Amino acid sequence: MTKDQLQNIIVNIPDFPIKGIQFKDINPILTNPAAFQSTIDIFAKFISEQKATAIVAPEARGFIFGAGVAYKLGIKLVLARKKGKLPSKTYEVEYDLEYGSTILQIHQDALTKDDRVVVIDDLIATAGTINACIELTKKTQAQVVGIASLISLSEFENKHHFNNVPLLEILKF
Ligand code: AMP
């Protein structure tokens, strides 16, 4: 399936979950097997080009794409979870949401300094979530070699600073 076809499958839901947000619903990609396979293939091509040894994925939709690619490439999947969900020793980063703040954690022993990490998520808006995952990765001494997202929202584009790390944004809205 082409990127144009994928773009047409994403459903825009106005004013969800609160007024003023244009919510991009990725569920129709998951219920269309050809669309999901194409999405994973596009992610996997980029992530293998970066010679990644690991994927860091934030909950919850990052897990879906991260798991598909980790299986396809035979590389590690490291979950970045909300505070209190991971059972072993963690590193944590607090960051701002549009309203309030949140804390993401990863297991300290999930990555080593030799790991080459691509951070993956379904959507980049302010990039707060991706930047938190980058910070978490750096706390383990591993190297961030790429950032990959199914969707990026152009209204926030100028605010992204990824310091020349290779970036895959499959669909732009
Ligand atoms: P941000 O940290 O601002 O880049 O927000 C990214 C996270 O919030 C992603 O994990 C998305 O799942 C979710 N998100 C933010 N804005 C939207 C939106 N307009 N539609 C769907 N998901 C969104």
Side-chain angles (χ1 to χ4, degrees), residues 120-141:
I120 192 170
D121 201 3
D122 68 320
L123 186 143
I124 300 177
T126 65
T129 306
I130 291 280
N131 278 322
C133 290
I134 291 171
E135 254 186 84
L136 286 170
T137 301
K138 287 181 174 168
K139 283 178 189 275
T140 70
Q141 311 295 321

Side-chain angles (χ1 to χ4, degrees), residues 98-166:
E98 278 171 285
Y99 300 99
S101 68
T102 193
I103 295 175
L104 277 182
Q105 300 180 320
I106 61 172
H107 274 151
Q108 289 188 4
D109 62 2
L111 294 166
T112 72
K113 66 175 178 32
D114 297 323
D115 275 312
R116 296 173 56 82
V117 171
V118 172
V119 177
I120 192 170
D121 201 3
D122 68 320
L123 186 143
I124 300 177
T126 65
T129 306
I130 291 280
N131 278 322
C133 290
I134 291 171
E135 254 186 84
L136 286 170
T137 301
K138 287 181 174 168
K139 283 178 189 275
T140 70
Q141 311 295 321
Q143 191 189 350
V144 177
V145 296
I147 297 157
S149 181
L150 174 58
I151 298 169
S152 74
L153 300 183
S154 53
E155 78 180 278
F156 297 101
E157 207 161 37
N158 298 331
K159 296 182 186 151
H160 299 164
H161 299 291
F162 296 134
N163 294 326
N164 295 326
V165 175

Side-chain angles (χ1 to χ4, degrees), residues 79-93 103-110 136 139-140:
L79 306 183
R81 301 214 59 182
K82 297 266 169 64
K83 189 177 175 78
K85 299 284 186 185
L86 289 171
S88 296
K89 264 194 158 184
T90 56
Y91 292 117
E92 68 181 41
V93 168
I103 295 175
L104 277 182
Q105 300 180 320
I106 61 172
H107 274 151
Q108 289 188 4
D109 62 2
L136 286 170
K139 283 178 189 275
T140 70

Side-chain angles (χ1 to χ4, degrees), residues 9-121:
I9 289 174
I10 303 287
V11 174
N12 186 70
I13 314 281
D15 298 325
F16 182 87
I18 55 168
K19 202 165 172 37
I21 301 286
Q22 300 290 325
F23 190 83
K24 305 293 180 243
D25 184 16
I26 57 122
N27 282 289
I29 296 250
L30 306 179
T31 53
N32 180 326
F36 186 57
Q37 284 181 320
S38 298
T39 303
I40 295 297
D41 289 347
I42 295 168
F43 271 129
K45 180 172 182 292
F46 170 81
I47 291 171
S48 72
E49 282 166 4
Q50 312 317 317
K51 300 187 167 48
T53 61
I55 290 169
V56 168
E59 79 176 78
R61 278 163 277 164
F63 293 179
I64 300 165
F65 299 106
V69 177
Y71 175 78
K72 186 173 169 90
L73 296 180
I75 62 177
K76 283 190 208 183
L77 175 62
V78 178
L79 306 183
R81 301 214 59 182
K82 297 266 169 64
K83 189 177 175 78
K85 299 284 186 185
L86 289 171
S88 296
K89 264 194 158 184
T90 56
Y91 292 117
E92 68 181 41
V93 168
E94 184 169 9
Y95 67 102
D96 289 335
L97 299 172
E98 278 171 285
Y99 300 99
S101 68
T102 193
I103 295 175
L104 277 182
Q105 300 180 320
I106 61 172
H107 274 151
Q108 289 188 4
D109 62 2
L111 294 166
T112 72
K113 66 175 178 32
D114 297 323
D115 275 312
R116 296 173 56 82
V117 171
V118 172
V119 177
I120 192 170
D121 201 3

